[in-house]
């Protein structure tokens, strides 16, 4: 290799850790020993020869490192390394390296690798730490039984005991005794219609002095509380706690897939989020509740460290916020007395969508069963002010736009809320369309569901198929675009002389939220969580399967990057923001971000074509 070939390699390595720790002579010697390899994407995987271990230095391109079971261990781009575990351990590679795009790689022979370790302590320490990190990372993926991040399928009984609804309770009892279980699922025409438990047999058969010939359907709990098979164990625990039940059927497409019991969950690890929620519900005064809320940032960091999906982190954090809100309402009612009428505490925005992250502010309102008199109005003003103040002291800052229940503008009767939404829908002025991005993602956190349904059903009946409103809403959502300029370069946000970076929230996830919201309102879909909205839109063929999956993947990836970045900011005592500097991530991640933003752009184009074709 002559000097002209050596120079670009030397330039490349001298800026890379740990090669930057080598003296000029050693680095030059190292460069001369390198060979260059080309790996085409079509080949699929890098052929890691067991008798020829070497250090692979990625010059350009992208790779994924996976274990033998196919679990992702690492993603690699320009300036990253692989192959070092075999060089350090002397064992054959137990991983596969997938080629994601055409790539150039420098090969460093094992003799030179050993020499560099001897000559530079920093070089040796870097790869030993990288090896230890890989082992920890690999172990983390193999130990994914964390209750916060595991699926209900990891604990449930895969072959649930079932019985026909026309069978007798005596037959059911014998079946349960034989299987040594405390419940049986009741089936009619392959569909789950009920559950019969030991408690049902005691309370509805023995206590009533009925005999064993009683049909199962007369003793069972009909339309039982169920959970979908893709739900988290954490969500199952919340359901069982809320309904005071110990058996939870797991369904898929309406059919019984399994059952999970409180015993199953006790066998698993205890859940930090559930423990925190339990602690919140046990607090007897507001001061102690504020103290408990200080654990929430640490919970977020633990979830990020556990590599949980962004969608799951959002649901877990929002469940904690919901519990905190409900407890504040209960504690303040103990001070103020019983409410003069039924009411719902409404959550809007990120809490409504269940996708909260760090630095969430308040967006809430109060829905009253009917128009309050002077005394009732005074009660609800005092209650809402106290709850909003408590949320602020717990870390959920006051909404800068004053969209809070303590603002009388957002504390109304059902009739008035319906009137406000009617006005927004029927006269979609700019301010009304701006409100749509917050108020149309709403959920009841406290109060009778029937009262909330009365409002939501009324709203959806007005938005469904309303071309003028939907066109206006679409136009408003297109005023912002993903941060890609010419040649797909990132457009960075600036504040005077300061470069803030890529706004992952407002120029990424918020735009996907907008797309999903418009489609959902056009079809009268009740779901408000963005990921769930996209799934329903795909199931109803409102968005084709390919586009829906791309949109869901982009939403998850951008949200994951936002959370990972906030995790880094937190651990390095930096201000928590939604901004990411592209230079802080690998070339592979930058490539994936560009792809995700391209999906957002395409989603906006598709939305415009569908909703604004007449305008």
């Amino acid at each position: 290799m002559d000097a002209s070939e050596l120079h670009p390699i030397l330039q490349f390595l001298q800026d890379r850790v740990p090669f930057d720790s080598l003296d000029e002579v050693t680095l030059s010697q190292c460069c001369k020993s390198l060979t260059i390899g080309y790996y085409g994407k079509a080949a699929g995987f890098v052929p890691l020869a067991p008798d020829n271990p070497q250090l692979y230095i990625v010059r350009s391109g992208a790779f994924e490192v996976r274990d033998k079971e196919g679990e992702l261990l690492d993603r690699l781009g320009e300036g990253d390394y692989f192959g070092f575990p075999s060089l350090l351990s002397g064992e054959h590679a137990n991983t596969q390296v997938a080629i994601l795009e055409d790539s150039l790689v420098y090969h460093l022979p094992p003799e030179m690798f050993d020499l560099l370790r001897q000559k530079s302590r920093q070089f040796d320490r870097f790869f030993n730490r990288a090896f230890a990190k890989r082992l920890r990372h690999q172990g983390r993926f193999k130990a994914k039984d964390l209750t916060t991040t595991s699926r209900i399928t990891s604990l449930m009984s895969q072959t649930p005991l079932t019985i026909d609804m026309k069978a007798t309770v005596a037959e059911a009892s014998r079946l349960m005794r034989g299987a040594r279980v405390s419940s049986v699922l009741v089936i009619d025409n392959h569909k789950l219609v009920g559950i019969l438990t030991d408690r049902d047999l005691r309370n509805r058969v023995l206590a009533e002095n009925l005999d064993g010939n009683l049909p199962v359907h007369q003793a069972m709990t009909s339309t039982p509380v169920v959970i979908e098979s893709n739900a988290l164990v954490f969500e199952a625990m919340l359901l069982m706690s809320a309904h005071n039940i110990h058996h939870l059927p797991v369904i898929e497409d309406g059919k019984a897939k399994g059952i999970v019991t409180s015993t199953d969950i006790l066998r698993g690890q205890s859940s930090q989020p559930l423990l925190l929620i339990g602690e919140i519900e046990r607090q007897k005064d507001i001061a102690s509740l504020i103290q408990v809320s200080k654990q929430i940032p640490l919970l977020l960091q633990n979830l990020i460290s556990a590599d949980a999906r962004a969608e799951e982190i959002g649901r877990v954090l929002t469940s904690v916020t919901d519990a905190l809100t409900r407890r504040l309402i209960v504690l303040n009612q103990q001070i103020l007395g019983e409410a003069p009428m039924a009411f719902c505490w409404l959550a809007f925005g990120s809490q409504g969508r269940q996708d909260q992250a760090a630095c969430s502010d308040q967006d809430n309102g109060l829905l009253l069963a009917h128009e309050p008199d002077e005394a009732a109005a005074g009660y609800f003003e005092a209650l809402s002010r106290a709850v909003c103040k408590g949320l602020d002291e717990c870390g959920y800052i006051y909404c800068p736009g004053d969209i809070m229940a303590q603002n009388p503008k957002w504390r109304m009767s059902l009739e008035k809320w319906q009137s406000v939404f009617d006005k927004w829908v029927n006269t979609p002025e700019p301010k009304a369309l701006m409100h749509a991005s917050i108020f149309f993602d709403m959920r009841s956190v406290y109060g009778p569901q029937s009262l909330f349904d009365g409002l939501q059903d009324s709203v959806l009946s007005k938005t469904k198929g309303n071309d003028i409103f939907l066109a206006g809403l679409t136009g408003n959502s297109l005023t912002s675009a993903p941060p890609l300029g010419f040649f797909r370069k990132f457009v960075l946000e600036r504040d005077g002389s300061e470069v803030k970076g890529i706004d992952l929230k407002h120029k990424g996830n918020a735009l996907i939220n907008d797309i999903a919201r418009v489609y959902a309102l056009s079809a009268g879909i009740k779901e408000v969580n963005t990921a769930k909205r996209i799934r329903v839109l795909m199931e109803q063929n409102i968005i084709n399967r390919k586009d829906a999956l791309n949109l869901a993947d982009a939403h998850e990836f951008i949200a994951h990057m936002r959370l990972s970045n906030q995790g880094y900011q937190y651990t390095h005592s930096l201000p928590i923001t939604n901004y990411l500097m592209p230079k802080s991530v690998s070339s592979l991640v930058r490539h994936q971000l560009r792809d995700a933003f391209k999906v957002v752009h395409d989603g906006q184009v598709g939305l415009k074509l569908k909703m604004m074709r007449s305008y």
Side-chain angles (χ1 to χ4, degrees):
M1 189 179 296
D2 60 33
S4 62
E5 293 175 304
L6 198 63
H7 183 67
I9 300 174
L10 194 66
Q11 266 194 322
F12 178 75
L13 286 184
Q14 67 186 7
D15 293 329
R16 294 286 183 279
V17 178
F19 288 91
D20 60 353
S21 67
L22 304 175
D23 60 67
E24 288 185 23
V25 174
T26 305
L27 185 59
S28 178
Q29 186 182 1
C30 163
C31 291
K32 289 174 183 176
S33 72
L34 295 175
T35 56
I36 302 174
Y38 170 78
Y39 297 93
K41 182 180 178 181
F45 293 90
V46 176
L48 300 172
D51 56 346
N52 184 32
Q54 52 191 343
L55 180 68
Y56 297 78
I57 307 165
V58 182
R59 180 63 182 87
S60 64
F63 301 88
E64 281 183 349
V65 182
R66 294 183 176 271
D67 67 13
K68 288 182 178 179
E69 286 76 42
E71 289 282 4
L72 177 66
L73 300 180
D74 209 353
R75 291 190 174 99
L76 308 174
E78 180 184 318
D80 291 329
Y81 312 98
F82 61 95
F84 55 85
S86 295
L87 291 170
L88 292 169
S89 66
E91 297 178 358
H92 296 326
N94 61 355
T95 56
Q96 297 176 315
V97 180
I99 307 166
L100 299 185
E101 54 187 60
D102 295 345
S103 306
L104 281 176
V105 175
Y106 297 143
H107 303 143
L108 184 72
E111 301 79 15
M112 180 55 66
F113 182 77
D114 290 339
L115 178 64
L116 298 180
R117 287 178 62 201
Q118 292 169 21
K119 286 200 168 191
S120 170
R121 186 180 175 188
Q122 292 98 317
F123 188 94
D124 181 56
R125 184 185 298 159
F126 175 88
F127 283 106
N128 275 299
R129 286 178 174 173
F131 185 36
K133 183 180 177 183
R134 174 69 57 77
L135 290 175
R136 287 197 305 272
H137 196 63
Q138 191 166 354
R140 187 174 77 208
F141 275 92
K142 289 182 177 177
K144 275 261 182 174
D145 57 349
L146 289 171
T147 312
T148 52
T149 57
S150 60
R151 301 288 173 189
I152 196 69
T153 47
S154 68
L155 292 182
M156 76 179 190
S157 166
Q158 299 282 354
T159 52
L161 196 65
T162 61
I163 195 168
D164 188 90
M165 66 179 292
K166 297 185 181 69
T168 65
V169 293
E171 291 173 311
S173 299
R174 286 193 290 270
L175 199 62
M176 290 161 65
R177 182 182 65 186
R180 301 178 71 179
V181 296
S182 55
S183 67
V184 60
L185 300 182
V186 185
I187 306 298
D188 182 36
N189 195 25
H190 306 295
K191 293 283 186 179
L192 177 70
V193 294
I195 184 172
L196 185 71
T197 67
D198 282 345
R199 185 161 62 178
D200 293 329
L201 290 172
R202 286 196 309 271
N203 296 342
R204 295 175 184 163
V205 181
L206 294 176
E208 298 296 329
N209 201 29
L210 299 173
D211 64 32
N213 292 320
L214 184 75
V216 165
H217 67 84
Q218 290 186 25
M220 71 182 185
T221 297
S222 57
T223 58
V225 177
V226 298
I227 195 165
E228 293 284 343
S229 60
N230 64 349
L232 299 175
V233 174
F234 166 71
E235 294 173 297
M237 296 170 81
L238 277 181
L239 271 179
M240 294 168 80
S241 174
H243 295 277
N244 191 28
I245 55 177
H246 302 285
H247 305 81
L248 190 61
V250 182
I251 62 167
E252 195 171 277
D253 299 326
K255 297 181 180 178
K257 184 178 176 66
I259 188 167
V260 66
T261 68
S262 52
T263 305
D264 295 328
I265 290 175
L266 284 173
R267 289 194 196 106
Q269 293 181 327
S270 63
S271 166
Q272 187 191 0
L274 200 70
L275 291 174
L276 180 54
I277 287 173
E279 204 172 343
I280 286 169
E281 291 172 346
R282 285 192 298 273
Q283 300 313 305
K284 303 296 184 185
D285 57 74
I286 295 167
S288 57
L289 194 63
I290 293 167
Q291 194 62 33
V292 169
S293 72
K294 292 178 181 176
Q295 299 177 43
I296 295 172
L298 181 59
L299 167 63
L300 172 59
Q301 297 314 308
N302 289 342
L303 290 168
I304 292 171
S305 299
D307 206 35
R309 283 173 54 82
E311 181 187 350
E312 293 161 358
I313 291 175
R315 290 209 306 271
V316 169
L317 285 182
T318 307
S319 295
V320 174
T321 308
D322 290 352
L324 200 60
T325 305
R326 285 192 291 268
R327 194 61 188 157
L328 281 166
I329 292 170
V330 169
L331 289 175
N332 280 291
Q333 282 194 300
Q334 289 173 3
I335 297 168
L336 296 169
E338 187 179 343
M341 69 178 80
F343 70 94
C344 284
W345 186 276
L346 303 178
F348 303 117
S350 61
Q351 188 183 359
R353 289 189 303 272
Q354 295 179 289
D355 63 5
Q356 286 189 304
C359 56
S360 292
D361 62 352
Q362 297 183 46
D363 287 310
N364 49 56
L366 211 58
L367 167 63
L368 309 179
H370 51 79
E371 195 63 28
D373 58 22
E374 189 176 341
Y379 175 92
F380 286 116
E381 180 181 7
L383 177 66
S384 58
R385 284 192 178 280
V387 173
C388 289
K389 181 175 183 287
L391 287 170
D392 178 67
E393 291 172 332
C394 288
Y396 302 88
I397 62 171
Y398 288 123
C399 172
D402 205 20
I403 298 172
M404 293 178 289
Q406 68 177 21
N407 182 346
K409 191 176 180 181
W410 310 123
R411 191 172 64 244
M412 295 179 281
S413 66
L414 173 61
E415 187 178 344
K416 283 197 173 178
W417 271 111
Q418 289 172 331
S419 175
V420 167
F421 274 104
D422 286 352
K423 185 178 178 183
W424 287 341
V425 173
N426 294 324
T427 55
E429 298 169 349
K431 193 168 185 180
L433 296 171
M434 180 192 71
H435 284 324
S437 65
I438 300 172
F439 289 95
F440 284 80
D441 295 347
M442 63 176 171
R443 191 169 52 86
S444 176
V445 172
Y446 180 96
Q449 186 65 32
S450 57
L451 179 58
F452 174 74
D453 287 342
L455 176 59
Q456 190 181 42
D457 291 344
S458 170
V459 172
L460 292 176
S461 69
K462 300 288 190 302
T463 64
K464 187 175 181 180
N466 188 325
D467 291 345
I468 295 174
F469 170 72
L470 295 169
L473 196 59
T474 300
N476 187 68
S477 72
L478 298 179
T479 56
S480 191
L484 287 176
F486 291 112
F487 309 113
R488 298 185 67 189
K489 288 185 177 180
F490 292 116
V491 178
L492 305 184
E493 300 284 330
R494 295 175 182 271
D495 181 11
S497 59
E498 182 189 359
V499 179
K500 289 188 171 183
I502 305 170
D503 187 343
L504 295 174
K505 178 181 178 180
H506 298 102
K507 295 299 180 71
N509 285 121
L511 304 186
I512 300 176
N513 293 338
D514 290 342
I515 294 168
R517 181 186 307 110
V518 175
Y519 281 122
L521 292 174
S522 74
I525 293 169
K526 282 194 166 190
E527 194 59 69
V528 293
N529 174 268
T530 296
K532 290 181 179 179
R533 271 174 169 168
I534 292 171
R535 282 195 282 274
V536 175
L537 291 166
M538 180 176 70
E539 289 164 4
Q540 296 187 9
N541 294 316
I542 295 167
I543 303 180
N544 70 59
R545 180 178 176 80
K546 180 184 175 183
D547 290 345
L549 292 176
N550 284 341
L551 209 55
D553 286 346
H555 188 262
E556 171 64 29
F557 181 72
I558 295 170
H560 183 81
M561 288 306 304
R562 178 186 170 206
L563 286 166
S564 297
N565 190 47
Q566 289 181 340
Y568 176 86
Q569 291 167 339
Y570 179 84
T571 54
H572 289 78
S573 301
L574 299 171
I576 306 297
T577 73
N578 296 306
Y579 296 100
L580 173 74
M581 291 300 294
K583 289 183 179 179
S584 68
V585 295
S586 69
S587 61
L588 174 60
V589 171
R590 291 197 295 272
H591 175 80
Q592 291 171 317
L593 265 177
R594 281 192 289 267
D595 285 348
F597 288 133
K598 176 67 164 53
V599 168
V600 179
H601 171 266
D602 292 346
Q604 287 187 323
V605 171
L607 183 70
K608 183 178 181 180
L609 288 172
K610 283 191 178 182
M611 299 296 171
M612 300 184 72
R613 54 185 176 270
S614 303
Y615 297 89

